Amino acid sequence: MMIRTQHRTIHFNAPALLDGLEYPLEPGDYEVNEDEELIEGISWLAYRRVATFITVPATSTNGNVSRMLPVDAEAIEELLRRDGLGEPSAVGGHPA
């Protein structure tokens, strides 16, 4: 089974709260990694997402510890949508 990782940087203009975090993410840039596995048995290349992670940098709010946390990809997209509209940024969801 072949796995690839897609890297991207996202930006929040306002604090954003993800389900499972004790504190909101501060406005700024965050690295997101999405692991995808090759779907075998078809005649073209296709991948499916199997895991999504966000890297939270070390800050005084989180005890100066950088962490890579599993997150729900749809929750990240919903946060970005709300952030772009100026709506409160808090969503739930299970990591996938």
Side-chain angles (χ1 to χ4, degrees), residues 12-35:
F12 293 118
N13 294 308
L17 184 60
L18 282 167
D19 190 31
L21 284 181
E22 302 163 4
Y23 50 86
L25 298 173
E26 296 176 9
D29 294 336
Y30 292 86
E31 295 298 317
V32 173
N33 297 320
E34 294 180 323
D35 292 343

Side-chain angles (χ1 to χ4, degrees), residues 10 15-16 27 38 40 54 57 59 78 81 88-89 91 93:
I10 61 171
L38 179 65
E40 297 185 33
I54 189 168
T59 64
E78 179 65 12
R81 185 192 69 76
S89 295
V91 298

Side-chain angles (χ1 to χ4, degrees), residues 12-68:
F12 293 118
N13 294 308
L17 184 60
L18 282 167
D19 190 31
L21 284 181
E22 302 163 4
Y23 50 86
L25 298 173
E26 296 176 9
D29 294 336
Y30 292 86
E31 295 298 317
V32 173
N33 297 320
E34 294 180 323
D35 292 343
E36 301 172 324
E37 68 181 6
L38 179 65
I39 300 171
E40 297 185 33
I42 56 178
S43 59
W44 64 89
L45 287 178
Y47 292 84
R48 75 173 141 244
R49 183 178 45 235
V50 294
T52 303
F53 300 92
I54 189 168
T55 301
V56 180
T59 64
S60 58
T61 305
N62 65 16
N64 294 315
V65 175
S66 176
R67 299 187 292 170
M68 183 181 276

Side-chain angles (χ1 to χ4, degrees), residues 8 10-12 75-84:
R8 65 182 172 134
I10 61 171
H11 179 83
F12 293 118
I76 291 286
E77 295 308 318
E78 179 65 12
L79 280 175
L80 291 170
R81 185 192 69 76
R82 289 182 182 187
D83 187 65

